[in-house]
Amino acid sequence: MDVLTANTTYFASQTINTCESGRVAVNIQIDETVIVPATIPVLYECDTALDGNDANSFTVFDLTYNESVFLNGKSAINYTFSYFLDAGYSFPITTPSNAFVNTIQNGQIIYVRITNTSNNVCLTDTSFEIKVNVLPVIQPSIVFKNCDEDGNPDGFTN
């Protein structure tokens, strides 16, 4: 069960020289932060020609793909995600869903901040790696050669 907050009321008073003041209600609200799993899978995409070159290791990523992994069983409705290019969380990625093109070849770290929607001081910072897979090279022409050795000289064989 996902518990976003726990609200409890306590009563406080002060005692000085054996005289106790009146009791005052004190409301306590505890908001959760996400505990991210130790291992976040690398996000892979194949190189594409969307930028005019299908061999330069730049392609489009959907950075939101791992959000359910980050939440570790928590409900997505209770948290917001912010994506960044740097560990200082100063360069936000404004289009993390199906529009982010990696800015570094051969692997890039993406930084994520997960914030509780009811209390933005309750947040978790994490990161994961994205990598572009190169496309396989296809030979321009292949000739298959085989001998007709099935006992029937008809040009067909297994």
Side-chain angles (χ1 to χ4, degrees):
M1 183 172 134
D2 188 25
V3 179
L4 177 61
T5 60
N7 294 312
T8 306
T9 301
Y10 292 95
F11 294 91
S13 65
Q14 183 177 19
T15 303
I16 298 175
N17 295 330
T18 69
C19 297
E20 183 179 5
S21 68
R23 294 180 181 214
V24 177
V26 177
N27 293 320
I28 305 294
Q29 178 176 326
I30 300 171
D31 297 300
E32 284 189 304
T33 55
V34 172
I35 298 172
V36 178
T39 305
I40 303 296
V42 175
L43 191 57
Y44 291 98
E45 289 294 339
C46 294
D47 204 343
T48 64
L50 291 175
D51 61 356
N53 185 341
D54 67 358
N56 63 358
S57 294
F58 290 105
T59 194
V60 175
F61 284 86
D62 179 357
L63 301 178
T64 65
Y65 185 79
N66 280 334
E67 286 185 358
S68 62
V69 175
F70 295 139
L71 288 173
N72 203 12
K74 304 284 184 208
S75 173
I77 197 165
N78 299 327
Y79 301 93
T80 57
F81 290 83
S82 303
Y83 295 84
F84 297 86
L85 293 172
D86 65 314
Y89 296 89
S90 2
F91 298 101
I93 298 170
T94 56
T95 56
S97 171
N98 288 321
F100 175 74
V101 176
N102 57 307
T103 58
I104 300 172
Q105 292 175 311
N106 303 321
Q108 181 171 358
I109 302 296
I110 301 297
Y111 299 89
V112 184
R113 178 163 283 164
I114 307 164
T115 308
N116 184 302
T117 54
S118 66
N119 185 345
N120 64 4
V121 210
C122 298
L123 55 89
T124 300
D125 291 333
T126 189
S127 63
F128 67 101
E129 188 174 11
I130 60 173
K131 287 189 175 184
V132 178
N133 287 329
V134 297
L135 298 177
V137 176
I138 298 175
Q139 298 299 321
S141 175
I142 299 174
V143 176
F144 289 104
K145 295 181 181 181
N146 201 351
C147 298
D148 187 359
E149 295 179 347
D150 63 357
N152 185 8
D154 56 2
F156 296 99
T157 189
N158 294 334

